[in-house]
């Protein structure tokens, strides 16, 4: 599925985030920035040790206590096709009453802002927080798409925002959300 918002296209695809040829891919990280499972594990595995070295430097210089939920930082893409990895931390689902929707929105918005500030024109996101962090995907997909739409309506600079869903089922959920949230 492909839609236009402002000067950019929003593309929903099934795939593996680590295989994307976008200029930047987004990592669904945790505050330690030291790797983990899911998307995070796959990115560090395929991207090689350079990414982790840069993450260690960012921890030491900028975020000694860890990257707060909703914030984003950038490293090179190491051995990946993508030139950059933007690491963000989504919220852990705790029932929805602990600020999770706002924090998930911030994770998307801060990643997009960071990309634009670096002159990046194509960015690919995984479905942040809907794996190990347990965020219900129907709600998360709407928040993700609304954040992307709101951003693209006011900011220039991006040519493409891609959402890369790992399963056919997840892609269907995002497509349904896109029909609701992105309809003109
Ligand atoms: N490409 C695209 N999507 C993927 C891939 C992949 N290679 N692998 C998994 N997914 P998760 P979270 C999907 O758990 O929920 C890590 O341990 C997956 O099916 O990666 O934000 C971190 O270190 C799911 O729909 O991220 C943190 O501790 C979505 O990506 C924690 O998990 C996100 O799943 C973050 O949890």
């Amino acid at each position: 599925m492909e839609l236009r918002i402002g000067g950019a296209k929003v593309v929903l695809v099934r795939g593996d985030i680590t295989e994307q040829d976008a200029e930047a891919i987004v990592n669904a990280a945790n505050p330690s920035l030291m790797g983990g499972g899911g998307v995070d594990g796959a990115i560090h595995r395929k991207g090689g040790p350079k990414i982790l070295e840069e993450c260690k430097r960012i921890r030491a210089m900028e975020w000694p206590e860890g990257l707060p939920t909703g914030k984003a930082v950038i490293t090179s893409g190491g051995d990946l096709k993508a030139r950059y990895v933007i690491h963000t931390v989504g919220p852990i689902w705790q029932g929805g009453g602990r600020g999770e929707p706002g924090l998930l929105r911030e994770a998307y918005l801060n990643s997009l802002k960071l990309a634009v500030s670096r002159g990046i024109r194509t960015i690919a996101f995984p479905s942040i927080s809907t794996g190990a962090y347990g965020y219900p995907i129907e709600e998360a997909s709407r928040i993700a798409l609304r954040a992307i739409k709101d951003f693209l309506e006011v900011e220039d600079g991006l040519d493409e925002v891609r959402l890369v869903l790992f399963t056919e089922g997840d892609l269907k959920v995002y497509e349904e959300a896109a029909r609701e949230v992105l309809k003109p």
Side-chain angles (χ1 to χ4, degrees), residues 15-18 28-30 35-40 42 126-134 164 166 170:
D16 181 335
I17 192 81
T18 65
N30 65 63
V39 167
D40 200 6
S127 178
I128 298 167
S129 283
T130 64
Y133 278 2
V164 182
F166 209 39
D170 288 355

Side-chain angles (χ1 to χ4, degrees), residues 1-53:
M1 184 184 247
E2 193 177 312
L3 302 112
R4 286 207 83 82
I5 300 174
K9 59 179 178 177
V10 177
V11 184
L12 307 185
V13 292
R14 187 165 93 87
D16 181 335
I17 192 81
T18 65
E19 298 293 331
Q20 302 301 309
D21 59 0
E23 236 178 301
I25 63 169
V26 176
N27 183 14
N30 65 63
S32 79
L33 298 177
M34 294 298 110
V39 167
D40 200 6
I43 285 177
H44 282 286
R45 220 165 24 248
K46 272 200 195 152
K50 186 154 182 274
I51 300 174
L52 189 60
E53 278 162 31

